[in-house]
Amino acid sequence: MNASKVAAAALALSLALSSASAFAQAAMASGEVRKIDEAAGKITLKHGPIKSLDMEDEMTMVFRVQDPAMLKQVKVGDKVNFDAERAPAGITITKIQKGK
């Protein structure tokens, strides 16, 4: 391959990865931390729609967290983005990060 084909391939790969990242970010739900219960491994979030769970209404809910260490990443009042899934023990946060 010549240099221009390599550069074009690298650019295409870069664009594909960045759009996949943007899609993943858009799929996350957003909310605000209202309460953290480290002993129980739970977090209370005021959140908007959670499309992955077909939840369209805004509400405040208590969630379990998949990994209790997640609770150390955030504090009450933080804006967050998160992923959640239905589990036998209830709706569980599988990923959480501070929002912007």
Side-chain angles (χ1 to χ4, degrees), residues 41-94:
K42 295 180 181 180
I43 187 169
T44 303
L45 299 174
K46 179 179 178 185
H47 64 83
I50 305 174
K51 295 186 186 296
S52 64
L53 299 175
D54 293 324
M55 297 173 71
E56 297 298 324
D57 295 331
E58 292 185 17
M59 63 184 80
T60 301
M61 287 178 56
V62 177
F63 296 90
R64 295 184 182 281
V65 291
Q66 188 174 48
D67 179 2
M70 291 181 195
L71 299 176
K72 295 190 182 302
Q73 300 173 17
V74 296
K75 65 182 183 312
V76 173
D78 281 351
K79 303 284 188 206
V80 295
N81 296 316
F82 64 96
D83 285 329
E85 63 184 33
R86 294 188 194 279
I91 298 176
T92 302
I93 302 285
T94 57

Side-chain angles (χ1 to χ4, degrees), residues 22-35:
F23 176 75
Q25 191 78 319
M28 294 180 82
S30 61
E32 180 180 332
V33 178
R34 294 299 176 115
K35 182 179 177 184

